[in-house]
Amino acid sequence: MNLSITKLGGDVLPFIDGEWCASKSDGHTEVLNPSTGKRILDLPKGSVLDADAAVSAARSSFEDGRWSESSPSSRKKVLYRFAGLIEASSNELDSLDAEEMGKPVAEVFSNAAAAAELVRFYAEAVDKVSGAVFTSDKGSFVARRVIPRGVVAAIVPWNFPSFCAVLKVAPALAAGNSVVLKPSELSSRSALRLGQLALEAGLPRGVLNVVPGLGETVGQALGLHLDVDMVTFTGSTSVGKRMLQYAGQSNMKVVMTECGGKSPQIVFADGVDLNAAADSIAQHLLTNQGQICSVGSRLLVQRSIERAMIDKISARLGNAVMGDALDPKTTFGPLASAEQYARVMRYIKAAEDEGVQLVTGGRRALPETGGYFVEPTIFQNVSPQARIAQDEIFGPVLSVIPFDSEGDAIRIANDTIYGLAAYVWTANLSTGMRMAKGVRSTVFVNAVAPKNEGAGYATTYEPTAQSGIGAEGGLAGMESYLRRQLVWFSHG
Ligand code: NAD
C-alpha cells in the first residue's frame, strides 16, 4: 500500500500541480470498508477552492504548451511509461479499490491491469487521429486541424474506479488536454495514485490533477467552472443531467455523459445453447455484484423456455463465492456502500410488497461480517412496466419478463428511458441481425462483454436516450477530446 496517499493524518489529499496539497474543505466524511462496515479513512468533503486550484494548475500547464504542444512521440513515450507503472502497481490499485468499494481483487473485468492496456491503446493513438485538407480552388488552402479542447474535468463513478478514470484520462491526455480528475467519494485512492504514477512517468506537473471530494462540492464546482472547457462524466443519469444544466448555467462547456442503463438479456427458444447463455447471463449479474452500467438486469425470455432458463441461471448464481473483497478466493463481494445496500434492498422489498414473485435471493447475506452483502436475486413474471423492470437498481437483481414474438422482444427491450446495451441469444443469424437493427442500444449477439476481449480497446460506444451523450472508447472516443478547427487561407 502506498503510504504517501494517506500520510497526513489518514486523510486523502488533493494532488494538484504535481504535489499533495491541503484541502480547503469544510470538514470530512468517513469512508467505510463495505466488506466489514469499518472506517478506513476520512475524506475531505472538498470545496470550490480545491476545484479552483486544480483548474488553475491545469490551465497554466495547458497554455504554456508543456504537454499540449509537445511532440507526439514524446507524449506517446510518457503514456507508455504510465501504462507500465499502472501495470506494475495493479495489485496495489485493485486492493485500494477492493477495500474502498468492494470490487473483489480476483475480479479481472475492468481492473487496473485492463486500465494499463487502455492507456497503451491511447499511447499508440496519439498520432493516429488527424485533421484533413479539403479540395479547394486555386487561391485557397482549406484545412481542418484537430486540437485539444483545453482543460477537461473528468468526473467518474466508483464501480470500476481505475478503469473508469483511465477511460477518460487516457484519451484526454493523448489528445493533448490538461485534466482535473474527480473520483467518486467511495473510491479516491486509486485515482490519486494514478495522478502520482503519471507524474512519475514523466507527465509534466499540472497536466493531471486529482481532486477528491463530494459531488455537490468538487463535482458541482467543476461542472459550473468558467475555465473548464469540457466535462466528461460517467455516473448516474440524474447527475448526468445536472452536468448539462451546469454547462448551460456557466460557459457552454462541451459535455459528454456516460450514464445508467437497464439492459436486456434476450433469449430465443430457437435452439441456441441455453447453457452457454445461462453461463454468461449469470456471470454478468455476479460481476462486481451487478454494479455494471451495462449489466443485463432484465431477462427477456421466450415463454416456452422461461422455466428452463430461470432454473439454469439460479443454479449458476449459487456458485458465487461470497466474501471479503480483499480475499483472493472471493468472486462475489459486498455492495459498494451502506447507501447502495439500502437502495438495492428498497427495490427488493418494494417488488415483494407489490407481489412480484421472488425466485431466489432477496436477503442480506453474511450479516455477521458487518459488510453490505446482498444475495443474488431473481424475480419472475415481472411486468415490463414494473419499477424493478424500469429503474436501474445497480445490484445483483434480475427481472424475468417472458415474451412471445420477436416484435414483442424488441418493443420491451426499447421500452425504458435507457439505451445502453442489449444482449441477444439466438441460433438464427437472421433473428440476430433483425434484433441488432431493431434494438436501439449497443447490441451484443451471443456475446457479453466480461466473457472475452473481443476487439480489445478499439471499440467505441455511443449511448442513446437517457443513457448519455457522446462517444467513448477507441479512436472515435479520442476524437471527443479534440476540437475541429477550420483554417482557411486565401492567397495570391
Ligand atoms: P453518481 O452519478 O452518483 O456519481 C458519479 C460522479 O458524479 C461521482 O464522482 C460523484 O461524486 C459525482 N457527483 C454526484 N453528485 C454530483 C453533483 N450534484 N454535481 C456534480 N458531481 C456529482 O454515480 P455513481 O453512484 O458513482 O455510479 C453509478 C452510476 O454510474 C450508475 O448509474 C452506472 O450506470 C453509471 N455508470 C455508467 C457507465 C457508462 O459507461 N455508461 C459506466 C460506469 C458507471
Side-chain angles (χ1 to χ4, degrees):
M1 197 133 315
N2 185 283
L3 293 176
S4 57
I5 295 176
T6 55
K7 70 183 168 195
L8 292 185
D11 291 3
V12 293
L13 301 172
F15 188 70
I16 297 175
D17 210 12
E19 288 172 4
W20 301 108
C21 309
S23 169
K24 298 187 179 65
S25 170
D26 288 339
H28 290 78
T29 172
E30 273 189 343
V31 178
L32 307 179
N33 178 339
S35 297
T36 61
K38 296 209 172 88
R39 177 189 167 282
I40 318 169
L41 56 93
D42 284 340
L43 176 83
K45 289 183 179 168
S47 67
V48 173
L49 295 175
D50 291 345
D52 281 349
V55 172
S56 162
R59 174 59 61 194
S60 303
S61 74
F62 183 75
E63 296 302 334
D64 71 16
R66 67 186 84 159
W67 177 251
S68 54
E69 293 173 5
S70 61
S71 69
S73 54
S74 65
R75 261 192 245 164
K76 199 178 275 199
K77 279 192 196 114
V78 169
L79 290 177
Y80 270 120
R81 279 200 296 270
F82 185 31
L85 291 173
I86 295 175
E87 190 166 50
S89 312
S90 62
N91 288 343
E92 178 198 347
L93 290 162
D94 287 343
S95 300
L96 291 170
D97 288 340
E99 194 185 23
E100 266 174 89
M101 51 60 68
K103 179 176 186 291
V105 286
E107 174 57 67
V108 294
F109 180 62
S110 292
N111 63 1
E117 290 301 330
L118 193 57
V119 175
R120 258 182 212 120
F121 175 87
Y122 283 110
E124 287 164 17
V126 164
D127 51 8
K128 305 292 184 293
V129 179
S130 305
V133 176
F134 296 96
T135 305
S136 57
D137 63 24
K138 187 176 175 207
S140 308
F141 179 87
V142 185
R144 185 181 70 223
R145 300 173 69 216
V146 286
I147 55 175
R149 292 191 181 278
V151 174
V152 173
I155 302 179
V156 296
W158 47 261
N159 63 331
F160 296 103
S162 44
F163 192 84
C164 282
V166 158
L167 193 51
K168 311 254 180 227
V169 167
L173 292 178
N177 298 283
S178 289
V179 177
V180 178
L181 170 64
K182 188 240 167 278
S184 162
E185 39 278 58
L186 295 183
S187 55
S188 312
R189 287 178 301 175
S190 58
L192 289 161
R193 186 78 179 110
L194 287 173
Q196 211 181 22
L197 293 175
L199 188 75
E200 213 176 307
L203 191 74
R205 288 159 60 114
V207 177
L208 176 58
N209 309 278
V210 187
V211 187
L214 303 183
E216 54 268 33
T217 54
V218 178
Q220 176 166 316
L222 291 171
L224 286 170
H225 209 290
L226 292 171
D227 206 23
V228 167
D229 300 294
M230 174 181 184
V231 164
T232 175
F233 169 81
T234 301
S236 60
T237 290
S238 59
V239 178
K241 287 180 180 178
R242 281 181 187 243
M243 297 298 149
L244 297 167
Q245 290 171 333
Y246 294 152
Q249 286 162 23
S250 54
N251 61 346
M252 267 181 132
K253 55 181 68 66
V254 173
V255 179
M256 180 165 140
T257 60
E258 303 293 325
C259 302
K262 190 72 189 177
S263 302
Q265 296 273 7
I266 308 168
V267 189
F268 285 91
D270 59 6
V272 71
D273 182 345
L274 297 185
N275 288 323
D279 282 347
S280 277
I281 293 167
Q283 186 200 354
H284 208 209
L285 194 72
L286 294 173
T287 301
N288 210 17
Q289 297 74 254
Q291 300 165 124
I292 313 182
C293 55
S294 54
V295 66
S297 55
R298 293 185 291 158
L299 174 66
L300 277 48
V301 57
Q302 211 152 17
R303 208 173 290 276
S304 61
I305 53 165
E306 183 185 5
R307 185 74 261 150
M309 277 310 285
I310 290 173
D311 290 346
K312 287 176 191 297
I313 295 169
S314 302
R316 286 159 174 81
L317 295 183
N319 296 333
V321 181
M322 212 181 284
D324 192 312
L326 283 166
D327 183 339
K329 291 193 291 300
T330 295
T331 64
F332 187 86
L335 297 184
S337 65
E339 292 72 30
Q340 183 62 14
Y341 167 81
R343 172 193 162 87
V344 172
M345 292 308 282
R346 254 196 323 272
Y347 272 107
I348 292 173
K349 179 160 186 327
E352 285 188 289
D353 291 348
E354 285 163 25
V356 186
Q357 242 176 302
L358 180 69
V359 178
T360 183
R363 287 169 310 181
R364 181 173 193 177
L366 307 183
E368 67 284 0
T369 61
Y372 313 127
F373 296 90
V374 173
E375 293 174 342
T377 300
I378 301 180
F379 285 100
Q380 71 177 0
N381 246 324
V382 181
S383 150
Q385 294 309 317
R387 270 190 67 204
I388 50 164
Q390 288 287 321
D391 291 6
E392 181 183 46
I393 298 175
F394 221 51
V397 181
L398 184 67
S399 297
V400 182
I401 303 170
F403 71 84
D404 294 306
S405 68
E406 205 177 291
D408 284 347
I410 291 174
R411 188 178 44 75
I412 299 168
N414 286 334
D415 192 15
T416 71
I417 63 164
Y418 299 108
L420 197 60
Y423 310 88
V424 177
W425 300 94
T426 177
N428 185 324
L429 196 61
S430 300
T431 303
M433 196 53 83
R434 283 193 298 271
M435 293 300 290
K437 290 183 176 175
V439 176
R440 64 184 177 181
S441 63
T442 295
V443 174
F444 297 76
V445 180
N446 298 338
V448 63
K451 195 172 168 199
N452 51 22
E453 183 173 308
Y457 298 94
T459 47
T460 303
Y461 298 78
E462 186 160 356
T464 185
Q466 295 187 36
S467 286
I469 299 171
E472 185 148 77
L475 290 183
M478 182 168 149
E479 286 178 31
S480 302
Y481 296 91
L482 290 162
R483 185 163 68 80
R484 297 165 180 87
Q485 183 200 22
L486 188 70
V487 177
W488 187 305
F489 259 74
S490 286
H491 53 84

